[in-house]
Amino acid sequence: MAGDQVTLLNIWASSFGMRVRISLAEKAVKFEYSAQDLRNKTALLLQMNPVHSKIPVLVHNGKPVCESVIIVQYIDEAWKNKAPLLPSDPYQGAQSRFNIEADCPKLIAYCKRCLEKESVSKCLEDPQKVSDFVVMMRKKLGLE
Ligand SMILES: N[C@@H](CCC(=O)N[C@@H](CS)C(=O)NCC(=O)O)C(=O)O
């Protein structure tokens, strides 16, 4: 919607954040990026997500939306200018919100098709860079 103020509180390595960035790209929503430091949480993050104080948080015209799956659904409903992100069929919709971890050929094929989309490939970070970042953070936090 024209004149909307959209801000994404995020960290670059977050796969939860990537999910939101892909959704915004699919809907061609322009947004401000607010990079967060999770070791030193900003007053903005604590104010926008007082329950979990986690990223990603989407702030739309001053109102926060938290939890990546909820944010994706919100984006789908708030910006109807482009094709829907989620299926309209209730059962398919429920399935699409569930993180299926089993080895599933149809899911893998779907993921490959997704990677061919610019909105997805542009929002995904280099897996090695993300892995190095996670290893570094785990060491810093004494989790190794
Ligand atoms: N269920 C949440 C998970 C979000 C999450 O775990 N975010 C992590 C970064 S990837 C975070 O903010 N961690 C900060 C903390 O645990 O204090 C979602 O889907 O958005």
Side-chain angles (χ1 to χ4, degrees), residues 16-107:
F16 303 107
M18 288 175 210
R19 173 188 275 168
V20 173
R21 285 165 51 202
I22 291 166
S23 304
L24 290 168
E26 275 294 319
K27 296 282 186 170
V29 176
K30 290 202 169 59
F31 65 97
E32 214 173 279
Y33 190 85
S34 174
Q36 299 293 308
D37 176 355
L38 296 179
R39 288 164 300 162
N40 185 18
K41 292 181 180 172
T42 60
L44 181 65
L45 177 59
L46 298 176
Q47 184 194 344
M48 292 297 156
N49 189 351
V51 177
H52 298 300
S53 63
K54 288 185 177 185
I55 58 87
V57 180
L58 186 81
V59 186
H60 185 196
N61 295 331
K63 291 187 285 188
V65 185
C66 304
E67 287 291 319
S68 59
V69 171
I70 297 172
I71 299 172
V72 170
Q73 185 167 359
Y74 177 81
I75 291 169
D76 209 15
E77 289 169 3
W79 286 278
K80 292 196 178 288
N81 55 324
K82 301 268 177 171
L85 301 171
L86 298 165
S88 57
D89 175 77
Y91 186 72
Q92 284 183 1
Q95 288 298 92
S96 72
R97 291 171 182 83
F98 181 71
N99 288 348
I100 300 165
E101 289 177 7
D103 188 17
C104 174
K106 278 189 183 167
L107 179 65

Side-chain angles (χ1 to χ4, degrees), residues 117-140:
K117 292 185 73 113
E118 198 179 277
S119 61
V120 176
S121 57
K122 274 194 169 172
C123 292
L124 294 183
E125 300 290 345
D126 174 38
Q128 188 59 51
K129 204 175 140 197
V130 175
S131 166
D132 292 348
F133 176 78
V134 171
V135 169
M136 183 271 290
M137 285 306 290
R138 287 182 63 85
K139 277 189 188 147
K140 265 197 175 163

